[in-house]
Amino acid sequence: MTEGLLLPLLVLWPLLVGLGVYALPERASAALQVLGTVAMAGLVVGVLASPEPLRAALGGWAAPLGIGLHADRLAESMLVLTLLVYAAVLLYAQAYFAHGSELARRFWPLAWMLWAGLNAGYLSADLFNLYVALELVGLAAVGLTALTGQSTALAAALRYLLAALLASNLFLLAVVLLYTSTGSLALDSVGAHLAATGSSTWAAKLALALALVALALKTALAPLHFWLPAAHGNAVTPVSALLSALVLKVSLLILLRLWLELAPVLDLALLGLLLALLGLVASVWGSVLALTQRKIKMLIAYSSVAQVGYLFLPLAWLLPGGLGAALALEATVLHLLAHGLAKAAMFLAAGVLVLSAGRDDLASLRGAVAREPLAFAALTLAGVSLIGLPPSLGFAAKWQMMQAALLADQWPWLLWLLGGTLLSAAYVFRVLRLAFLPAAEAFEARAPLPQRLSLCALALALLAAFGGFGAAAFSDWLAADALLGPWGGA
Amino acid sequence: MNDWLLPLTLASSLVAGLIIFFLPERSVGWRSALNLGAAVLKLACVAAMVWGTQQGISYELRLPFLPGHELLLRADPLGLLFVTLSAVLWLLTTIYAIGYLEHSPNRSRFFGFFSLCVTATVGIALSGNLLTFFLFYELLTLATYPLVVHRGTPQVLQAGARYLAYTLGGGVVLLAAIVWLQTLVGPVEFRAGGALLALDATAGMAPWMLVGIFALFIAGLGVKAALAPMHGWLPHAMVAPAPVSALLHAVAVVKAGAFGIVRVVYEVFGIEFAHSLGVLLPLAIVASITIIFGSLRALAQDDLKRRLAYSTVSQVSYIVLGVALFGPAGTIGGLVHLVHQGLMKITLFFCAGNYAETLGVHRISQMAGIGQRMPWTTAAFTVGALGMIGVPPVAGFISKWYLGLGAIEAGLGWVLAVLLFSSLLNAAYFLPILRLAWFEAPPPSWPHEAHADHATHEARQAYPPHAHPTVADDAAPPPRTGDAALLLLLPTLCAAALALLAGLAAGVPLSPLDWVRFIATTEYLP
């Protein structure tokens, strides 16, 4: 019985904490957040420990009408990633915001609301709930972007809001179309219903197209990335970390779920190729723009545009019965995790340097690099994972992706993966070389920042840089998932 | 105890390096103690493993890594050869670096990465499979970049960018080769006689694929091994401080590339299989071109370190040439040169550092009469230079002797001509230096005497003393009158003595030649 409560609590508890944080005075709210995070850790551990994959139907309504939640291992991976990133970001944010700052008072409730939305997005088992989750995530994320109220942030937030609303509406339209043509909203039976009512596949195809556009817009796949750099680059640092590490990933996870459900029914080979090609364009374009940025956070934001591209690559052969499909799925999940950890670490570390230097253009960060060596170490380790050098999690993802491409006889993609390594190295080293420039101006004597800031970044960076050692175990664990069915085992 | 030797060999420098990063600049004593302690400990571990291997103990360590692929460390004869060289030369270079960088800024950063660099080299030597090798190969790139750009001037950073572009590019090509091969045949563990032979999976594969994979391997590894036309980073990397150049040329980067080629030819493909694929002859041709090209370019350099750099381009290809000669004599010549070139080249770079540090002499045209002022250093330089030419009894002679034998054994007469011509060129670019140094009259004053220590000088330019408390104002030593400082001279003389000893005592058990002969028998009689 208690187990049945775990999944709903993963969504409701952060909402409750968010409300509490809003209502309570500062000290009590800090205590509540520590308690809240520990409780979330307990819930996630509970879900992981359960021998059977958990399912829950809220309000007693069964499918196809109820609010269903289920936790397969894709969702569980994301729950763990979210927990880790949130733990680091919340600790970081407590030291980042000054005491009694108005910014912090706006940040906490929105961050917790976002956590609820993310978890709902990972766990929802039916299409309408996915829409609601996406809407919740989008609104919280836009609010977070606009946090400072400065004009650049507001402009970025407005653009982000328009993109998010457009995406949600398209997704809603897709959901309606699928419902009218299949009579079901349950994610795991849409495919089966479509196969049964084979006549109306044009509606299904249109729905799929709409959903894909909506989700690609949310994931910022080029050329739909126009809203991302300004939003991520101008947000407050803890927000940048959450947006790039998690918000981009939930829409991709939903896209992946739809893909896995519909690929056996519809012929998606051409669509997969198209998406992979767009991913290629994204990774090249994002990298090139990252190479030209003057501000460190904008550079990191453009790196997200590039890295998201790789997530779409496996769709080129992630088809039923295809060789390398299981490996491709695994590689995508590995890359999701690697990018989440590394990018959050990078933003947090960059935030320390910017705070220390008082400015955010690359050239004036030289002195800060010497003052905050731990933050720079975090930046380096995260960079190693982003480039994809061993033994990082990013390397494990790249390795699996390359093997999958070769197994599927898709070796031309290898050139992209290998060339992309060099492109990422080029922009990562634009940051790393700062450590070796002599500081032109005399070192300003600034008070050192709290170590906690750097340590939070470093913890995530270490996970990313040495996560490759866990890749074998992770792969076995993922492959053993019953819910992933034919997609699981390698 | 035996289970701990392998990880301890790696951990000794890794842990020392990580601690050194966090030491304050001023604690010279602690840093030096850690450096030397770790170097001695590593040498002891390696000695114990060599002894143990003689007693028939095998050292192996497996760790789970990627799905279906584990990390494998193993002390096989070939790996022990390289790891012994690294451990011995690391100890010497550490002493030298402590003496050389005594007064420059950012020493904690320098010695931290210095230790990481040695860790990577040792890891490369002890890797038991391709994935492990790749892991340490890339770590080496990352750990050497900070050493190359240590001085941080715009020129240095440009050289660093070039270094990264070449080595990361090479790494990517190597990765392509590894992934391609392993997708076809599964995880590849190094194995005397060739892994592909044992896997027996090559039967159904098209030869063009194997040839393609081989070419990718050589292209990827050839960047670090400075095979022409992929050598472009090496002369530019000369902007690094002298101990780094010594390390880069003798044991770390260049050798890692050459060692990788040895592993791929003998223990992945297997020399007999590579021979039957017909890939050895092209490799021998590329190596021969590099040998001649490097020597010709060396002739044209007046900057001493640049001449030595091009000499490295040429000399490392002797190793590759020996590997590409089918027959035990060629194998012996190539492998023994892996050790001999390291000993001789580190001697030469130490000497170049001594000249620059003591007298400010950077160019060959400034070296007239330097033997009278710095007789010990110049004596060491002479040993190294004669060895490179191949004059007995210095170690280089042994290498060239076996390479010549190998050429005859493989029936490639033109290789003999290449060797002779190259020796002639070696003489043409080393002997004039010796003549200048010993027999010309010294100038009235040396370039450096105006400012005693160029490292301190540069440091002052980069960091105004008032802003950088770690560069003490009174740290500059008084102008010296004799040879180089003891901390610089001692490792130089040791290295020269080893280069001489390796040639004189080549027939003694456990000499490099003896060890290499043993390896050669395992590669041809699997």
Side-chain angles (χ1 to χ4, degrees), chain B residues 245-485:
Chain B
S245 301
L247 204 68
L248 249 60
H249 283 256
V251 277
V253 178
V254 180
K255 273 303 161 54
F259 182 74
I261 293 179
V262 171
R263 280 281 199 212
V264 166
V265 173
Y266 288 112
E267 311 214 319
V268 175
F269 282 79
I271 184 75
E272 318 225 359
F273 185 53
H275 183 62
S276 69
L277 271 179
V279 291
L280 290 181
L281 186 63
L283 186 59
I285 293 172
V286 171
S288 300
I289 292 173
T290 310
I291 288 174
I292 302 292
F293 168 82
S295 295
L296 287 174
R297 287 303 303 269
L299 261 180
Q301 309 299 323
D302 184 37
D303 187 298
L304 181 60
K305 277 178 83 181
R306 281 182 74 90
R307 183 171 288 195
L308 292 180
Y310 276 109
S311 156
T312 301
V313 172
S314 163
Q315 293 281 338
V316 167
S317 275
Y318 279 127
I319 304 169
V320 181
L321 179 64
V323 166
L325 294 175
F326 182 67
T331 306
I332 292 171
L335 287 183
V336 85
H337 202 53
L338 192 83
V339 178
H340 290 166
Q341 188 269 351
L343 295 174
M344 297 184 296
K345 192 39 76 62
I346 209 163
T347 310
L348 291 171
F349 267 107
F350 282 167
C351 291
N354 286 358
Y355 291 141
E357 190 69 3
T358 317
L359 298 177
V361 168
H362 294 276
R363 293 203 305 275
I364 291 156
S365 49
Q366 296 169 322
M367 287 178 68
I370 209 164
Q372 293 170 30
R373 171 65 190 268
M374 301 174 61
W376 289 105
T377 298
T378 312
F381 189 89
T382 309
V383 170
L386 291 178
M388 285 295 180
I389 300 170
V391 177
V394 189
F397 167 70
I398 309 281
S399 318
K400 287 200 178 169
W401 175 260
Y402 276 96
L403 283 175
L405 279 183
I408 297 169
E409 204 175 67
L412 299 173
W414 59 269
V415 170
L416 212 55
V418 167
L419 287 173
L420 283 175
F421 183 52
S422 144
S423 295
L424 213 61
L425 287 173
N426 292 344
Y429 65 77
F430 273 126
L431 287 182
I433 306 181
L434 297 184
R435 187 189 61 80
L436 206 62
W438 288 116
F439 302 113
E440 294 280 323
S445 81
W446 298 99
H448 215 214
E449 256 136 35
H451 50 91
D453 185 333
H454 77 278
T456 321
H457 180 68
E458 273 181 23
R460 288 232 177 84
Q461 284 180 330
Y463 301 86
H466 61 88
H468 206 283
T470 56
V471 182
D473 264 25
D474 53 352
R480 304 191 193 88
T481 48
D483 210 314

Side-chain angles (χ1 to χ4, degrees), chain A residues 327 330 334 374 384 387-392 395-400 402-403 406-407 414 417-419 421-422 425-426 429 432-433 435-440 442-443 466-473 475-476, chain B residues 22 63-69 71 106 109 113 131 134-136 138-139 142 145-147 149-154 157-158 164-165 168-169 172-173 175-176 178-183 462-464 466-468:
Chain A
L327 262 183
E330 187 190 315
L334 275 173
L374 285 182
V384 164
I387 301 173
L389 294 174
S392 66
F395 173 73
K398 188 171 70 174
W399 176 272
Q400 293 296 84
M402 289 199 290
Q403 292 220 320
L406 278 173
L407 266 182
L414 231 63
L417 285 171
L418 294 168
T421 305
L422 294 179
F429 271 96
L432 297 190
R433 72 197 281 276
F436 305 102
L437 295 168
F443 284 87
F466 295 98
F469 286 111
S475 147
D476 291 342
Chain B
F22 292 99
L63 289 172
F65 187 33
L66 300 179
H69 301 268
L71 284 187
N106 293 325
R109 185 183 83 193
F113 282 114
L131 187 61
F134 181 74
L135 168 79
F136 287 111
E138 294 294 82
L139 177 64
L142 289 185
Y145 172 74
L147 299 179
V149 298
H150 181 67
R151 292 211 166 115
T153 62
L157 280 166
Q158 214 175 358
L164 271 183
L168 285 177
V172 159
V173 176
L175 181 60
I178 294 175
V179 171
W180 192 2
L181 182 63
Q182 301 207 354
T183 308
Y463 301 86
H466 61 88
H468 206 283

Side-chain angles (χ1 to χ4, degrees), chain A residues 315-344:
Chain A
L315 296 184
W317 66 87
L318 190 50
L319 300 168
L323 277 172
L327 262 183
L329 181 63
E330 187 190 315
T332 313
V333 180
L334 275 173
H335 195 272
L336 274 178
L337 301 178
H339 182 250
L341 292 170
K343 194 45 70 71

Side-chain angles (χ1 to χ4, degrees), chain A residues 353-360 365 371 446:
Chain A
L353 297 182
V354 171
L355 215 53
S356 173
R359 308 179 50 178
D360 62 352
L365 293 180
R371 273 195 302 277
R446 281 172 184 269

